[in-house]
Amino acid sequence: QVQLVESGGGLVQPGGSLRLSCAASGSIFSINTMAWYRQAPGKQRELVAGITSGGSTNYLESVKGRFTISRDNAKNTVYLQMNSLKPEDTAVYYCNVRGVRYYSGRFTSDAWGQGTLVTVSS
């Protein structure tokens, strides 16, 4: 089964930047969609950005123009470049993959990473 390893979280000041990475490991043939979600304490998890295998993207309205999602299919890795960070961006960010196909022919519909904490504060 696919395993997701996230990295890049940390503490940054408002206006700063951070880049998150999520690498999917396993005998993977392809991944349909890769995305980043976030969840703040007491709030529901929300989709921040998503990207298809063909490179089509979509973003949470509040992060448009500030965040950029990208992927490297050869490395089975998805990135989230976060610029002009605001305190309201503080949350645990989770990597999500959907439609994972393996060389064995097996399939995983949905998988989540363990989360990485992003704190934006002065």
Side-chain angles (χ1 to χ4, degrees):
Q1 295 281 17
V2 61
Q3 299 293 316
L4 303 178
V5 180
E6 300 154 319
S7 63
L11 174 65
V12 296
Q13 296 187 109
S17 298
L18 208 59
R19 191 191 194 205
L20 305 183
S21 298
C22 173
S25 62
S27 299
I28 299 169
F29 174 72
S30 65
I31 300 173
N32 187 2
T33 63
M34 306 183 82
W36 289 95
Y37 288 73
R38 68 186 183 188
Q39 186 169 28
K43 295 185 177 180
Q44 292 189 321
R45 191 171 299 185
E46 63 182 352
L47 176 66
V48 178
I51 184 168
T52 68
S53 60
S56 180
T57 60
N58 67 288
Y59 296 90
L60 181 68
E61 186 67 29
S62 63
V63 309
K64 287 183 178 178
R66 299 189 298 120
F67 292 9
T68 302
I69 188 170
S70 61
R71 62 190 286 172
D72 185 334
N73 292 329
K75 297 180 179 180
N76 290 317
T77 300
V78 62
Y79 307 93
L80 185 67
Q81 179 65 47
M82 303 184 292
N83 299 325
S84 302
L85 284 161
K86 304 175 180 179
E88 50 263 46
D89 294 318
T90 296
V92 176
Y93 284 69
Y94 297 91
C95 178
N96 171 260
V97 297
R98 297 180 186 275
V100 182
R101 290 184 289 175
Y102 306 92
Y103 285 108
S104 66
R106 295 182 183 277
F107 177 83
T108 296
S109 62
D110 191 14
W112 294 88
Q114 65 182 23
T116 183
L117 178 63
V118 172
T119 302
V120 185
S121 176
S122 297

